[in-house]
Amino acid sequence: MSTDMFHLGWFLEGSSAQAWNQEYTGFIGRDWMRPDLMVDVARSLERAGFDYVLLEDTSWVPDTFGGSSEVYLRHAIATPRQDPALVAAVIAQATTRLGIVPTLGTYAYPPYQLARLVGTLDQVSAGRIGWNVVTGSSDGAARNFGRDAMPEHDERYVRAHEYLDVVNRLWGSWEQDAILDDTTAGVFADPAKVHTVDHTGKYFSVRGPLNSGPVPQGRPVIAQAGGSPAGKSFAAAHADTIVSTAKGVEEMKAFRDDVRARMVAAGRDPDDCKVLFLTSPVVGLTEDEATQRRRARHQEGLDQAAIRMFSQLAKTTNIDFSVYDLDQPLDTLDFATNGHQHMLGNFVARAGAKPDATLREISASLYGEGSIDFTGTHDSVAGRMCEVMQEVGGDGFLLVSYSLSRRHIAEITEGLVPALQRRGAVRSRYAHATFRDNLLEF
Ligand SMILES: Cc1cc2nc3c(=O)[nH]c(=O)nc-3n(C[C@H](O)[C@H](O)[C@H](O)COP(=O)(O)O)c2cc1C
């Protein structure tokens, strides 16, 4: 197996409503509740050998932009969302090898309930489930769970450490060989192999064991996306895969090196966690076609900056961006937040690079961007992706559609991925049956 191989994941929102108003999505505004688009996407990703699909989520209808939900509802931004655990179950039923990673907030579920839910998903998917651990950032979401606001940023991670400790122990509360299925002796499970966890900590008190039985992977795959120092330390302690928006090759390399050093400090082998960088390649049959499509996306960014960018940013930072004049420079404003520190830092860093940049200009330059832009033919983009991975050191990319459609999925899974496979850069077939084994294959 080549050591130059890398992994691919796909970032999806939790319902097909994200594709509303896009070309090549049929009557999605009518059909979005049905799982067909999600299932088609998942099957395409599996055919292309992706490691996983990550189902993003938040648990509220945002109202941070302009103090109302209007912009979110009018444009289907961040809402509606279906429950990602149920969407994950449907995708599991339609696939056999793809890893499936629903996002579930530690603020939203008691640890016992989460351990049981994710453990059950791992059972019904035959060992293909991951959990994207988010600690929550929106005060509006906190208000759906009996709090006025999210706890302070770093404390969320302290609480999440204890949370992970509890769920890990619950997943281990049935030994792998606890079920004897001995019909002759009349014994289903060996009681000596099922244990309470008896946890009493600062935040949680849980007795255990889980009532849902052993977990096929032992511990489902843990995904994480924290960008702050506390977030990175948390990920280094627990994650099997980290998704990042670190910008450009240098930052990507620095991010990965930092995470790997933190893993060593935490006593882990750094090769046991795969860092995937967000990107949304624009491909075409010719370089010209791809360049034109990239320009069109930038123009869409300029046109939609106010709506898409600032409503998303308002959702995650709890800041009402509607009060600012979009054509005013950013440098006089104070954007301290208790929400996504990394995302806001990114935004302000852009302004810092050009102090007189206006909010509109900055948001347009960020629209549709991830860690790195790729534009070109399938083959040229594949070549450039390989070069970037060489420079960064690994471990792969998390692809995203800024306008999800069957056409875009086909461009990637039937166009770009075969070009990567011809180069031996990504897998052509799965070597293993379970998610973590495939993730650790190279
Ligand atoms: C690619 C990516 C996907 C994310 N998906 C979600 C998500 O689905 N739900 C959520 O609440 N936060 C999501 N986040 C936010 C992270 O969980 C985290 O809160 C954020 O990166 C800020 O971390 P920090 O506060 O440590 O900087 C995502 C972040 C990134 C970079």
Side-chain angles (χ1 to χ4, degrees), residues 4 51 98 111 115 121 136 141 173 179 203 232 247 256 290 357 408:
D4 295 336
D51 284 81
L98 184 68
L121 281 170
S173 62
I179 294 184
Y203 299 97
K232 279 194 275 195
K247 286 265 172 290
R256 180 169 178 272
H408 187 228

Side-chain angles (χ1 to χ4, degrees), residues 6 82 92 109 132 164 260 277-278 439:
F6 57 84
Q82 289 170 310
Y109 291 81
N132 182 28
L164 263 284
R260 289 171 69 84
F277 295 96
L278 195 74
L439 198 59

Side-chain angles (χ1 to χ4, degrees), residues 84-96:
L86 289 178
V87 176
V90 172
I91 290 176
Q93 194 69 14
T95 52
T96 59

Side-chain angles (χ1 to χ4, degrees), residues 92 115-129 174 179 210-217 220:
R116 186 182 185 208
L117 177 63
V118 175
T120 303
L121 281 170
D122 205 47
Q123 293 171 343
V124 300
S125 66
R128 292 186 292 121
I129 284 297
W174 289 60
I179 294 184
L210 271 191
N211 63 336
S212 46
V215 179
Q217 292 185 95

